[in-house]
Amino acid sequence: MTTIQPKSGILDISPYVGGQSTIDGTAQVIKLASNEGALGPSPKAVEACSLAAKSLHRYPDGACAELRAALAHMYKLDGARIVCGAGSDELLDLLARAYAGPGDEVMFTEHGFLMYPIAAKGVGATPVSVAEKNLTAHVDGLLERATDKTKIVFLANPNNPTGTYLPDTEVRRLRDGLPDGALLVIDAAYAEYVVREDYQSGIQLVEDYDNVVMTRTFSKIHALGGVRLGWAYCPAAIADVLNRLRGPFNVSAPAQAAGLAALADEEFTEQVREHTLAWHDWLKGKLIGLGLEVPSEVGNFVLVRFPSPQAGDTDFSNGGRTAEAADGFLKSRAIIVRRMDSYGLPDCLRITIGTEKEMRAVFNALAEFLG
Ligand SMILES: *Cc1c(COP(=O)(O)O)cnc(C)c1O
């Protein structure tokens, strides 16, 4: 015990543990643990980032004016209501700082993104995790649990790590049923990977309501996790609040340059999308063919469930083919995927979609493991 103590809530945070990137003693690893883009960033983004490095002595444009204009043009938005951040993580955190505090509740779903409880506890608010149904956000459950104390509802749509999503009609039913004073934050980090008729990223909801924010990231489809870049589309009053609260230069110049170039390289983005969709479906089909359960539907990853010895299987007749054993086997083949224990899914692994070679390698290894 030292004399200096942080505010209440902070020591309740379990520090976020990112996906592993190395295996001791293995030079070449296949990293499929952090949902990073399958094909790396656009070469044009890399070039723009290097060029920006020549002016590292200059402060960045604190308003991210060019980038916001490009986003506004691409998605037909009001650029004045876009706020950029150092990753969408920063924006989630700013929203919590602005709208929740001690005595308030911050709601999210059972297997929601781990940044939500961190953001809630960081401001001393009470994190409230609401049960899902079939690994999917359960609107009635959320509505039943909401109270006047609910200040923020974080909904990842689609969700990571479950890879499930709510159709637009359900998101609207959620918004309409929540107290008006509860801000609905739609985290659409994987929106670009969803090509389903009933899905909407949340832009129209932001237009239709004054208490909905949508966040997006350059870390996934644009594969720019390393520069930290995200954005939020907000009602005007909320954009104003975030602009007061954020650091004046919260997005670095290389990040802005890389983001602009990535956005402009539509051909590359399309190539990544097509590649990811095709190999997502290939891997999912192959894993189901091995007898595994794959509950995820969309995103640049698959969630795979392994036979669980606890599930009425008292004689351990799964032969030790647990997620933990599979993860160990994959590591012995220099393949890093993500264990899901911290998400309350210890019988699952999450595998990011990578290159064709990486997908064939992970499938072959799992076939060998189960075989
Ligand atoms: C990856 C991810 C993000 C993006 O985080 P950044 O800070 O923008 O890198 C946000 N939400 C979810 C659900 C994610 O999986």
Side-chain angles (χ1 to χ4, degrees):
M1 206 57 153
T2 68
T3 20
I4 305 300
Q5 287 296 308
K7 290 189 291 181
S8 77
I10 295 184
L11 292 180
D12 299 333
I13 295 174
S14 317
Y16 185 88
V17 181
Q20 197 182 331
S21 337
T22 54
I23 301 174
D24 281 349
T26 311
Q28 281 280 323
V29 296
I30 293 179
K31 191 189 173 204
L32 304 171
S34 296
N35 297 348
E36 296 149 342
L39 307 178
S42 153
K44 290 176 182 160
V46 176
E47 198 185 313
C49 195
S50 325
L51 202 63
K54 292 192 175 150
S55 309
L56 285 181
H57 58 304
R58 303 287 180 205
Y59 276 93
D61 169 18
C64 293
E66 255 193 287
L67 182 59
R68 286 191 299 111
L71 286 165
H73 178 73
M74 169 165 261
Y75 293 102
K76 301 186 172 59
L77 307 176
D78 174 2
R81 294 193 280 128
I82 297 173
V83 179
C84 296
S88 47
D89 284 354
E90 185 193 21
L91 296 160
L92 302 173
D93 207 50
L94 286 171
L95 287 163
R97 281 172 61 197
Y99 294 102
D104 298 332
E105 294 182 346
V106 172
M107 217 157 66
F108 42 83
T109 69
E110 187 182 355
H111 304 296
F113 187 42
L114 282 178
M115 274 306 297
Y116 309 149
I118 292 178
K121 290 172 186 170
V123 298
T126 306
V128 176
S129 169
V130 176
E132 296 174 358
K133 206 170 173 182
N134 299 326
L135 293 182
T136 309
H138 186 220
V139 171
D140 290 315
L142 287 162
L143 293 179
E144 259 163 48
R145 185 59 188 78
T147 69
D148 288 346
K149 289 186 182 165
T150 310
K151 289 294 150 61
I152 302 180
V153 178
F154 284 117
L155 177 75
N157 202 35
N159 186 47
N160 164 28
T162 52
T164 56
Y165 72 96
L166 286 184
D168 185 48
T169 50
E170 280 291 278
V171 182
R172 282 177 184 271
R173 193 165 73 80
L174 173 63
R175 177 61 276 174
D176 289 333
L178 285 172
D180 289 343
L183 174 66
L184 175 62
V185 178
I186 303 172
D187 174 353
Y190 300 91
E192 294 88 348
Y193 296 109
V194 191
V195 282
R196 302 276 180 117
E197 292 261 313
D198 59 353
Y199 175 79
Q200 293 283 325
S201 66
I203 288 173
Q204 195 53 47
L205 258 96
V206 177
E207 303 291 8
D208 295 348
Y209 294 82
D210 66 0
N211 50 12
V212 177
V213 167
M214 174 195 67
T215 59
R216 301 283 283 262
T217 182
F218 279 80
S219 302
K220 305 289 156 61
I221 191 113
H222 296 300
L224 289 173
V227 295
R228 314 304 303 124
L229 184 60
W231 55 284
Y233 192 49
C234 314
I238 295 179
D240 174 56
V241 165
L242 295 183
N243 280 325
R244 289 168 194 262
L245 193 58
R246 68 179 173 82
F249 304 106
N250 60 327
V251 179
S252 76
Q256 293 185 41
L260 254 180
L263 216 53
D265 197 350
E266 293 184 48
E267 200 182 321
F268 184 78
T269 307
E270 199 45 47
Q271 195 187 327
V272 174
R273 185 179 2 249
E274 279 170 22
H275 170 94
T276 307
L277 293 177
W279 286 96
H280 171 277
D281 292 355
W282 181 87
L283 185 62
K284 178 168 172 161
K286 286 288 201 185
L287 295 176
I288 290 171
L290 289 177
L292 296 169
E293 205 185 313
V294 182
S296 59
E297 296 176 55
V298 294
N300 67 339
F301 57 89
V302 292
L303 185 74
V304 195
R305 174 170 281 140
F306 288 78
S308 159
Q310 288 94 340
D313 202 2
T314 45
D315 60 350
F316 292 84
S317 60
N318 73 344
R321 294 187 177 98
T322 59
E324 187 183 1
D327 180 57
F329 188 86
L330 290 173
K331 283 218 173 71
S332 75
R333 296 290 185 277
I335 300 172
I336 306 176
V337 300
R338 192 71 157 263
R339 292 281 300 276
M340 289 283 112
D341 302 58
S342 57
Y343 279 96
L345 297 164
D347 54 348
C348 294
L349 295 178
R350 193 192 65 196
I351 307 175
T352 301
I353 303 307
T355 62
E356 170 173 355
K357 201 172 149 206
E358 290 169 338
M359 293 299 92
R360 293 192 188 280
V362 76
F363 167 70
N364 289 337
L366 284 174
E368 192 184 335
F369 169 72
L370 293 168

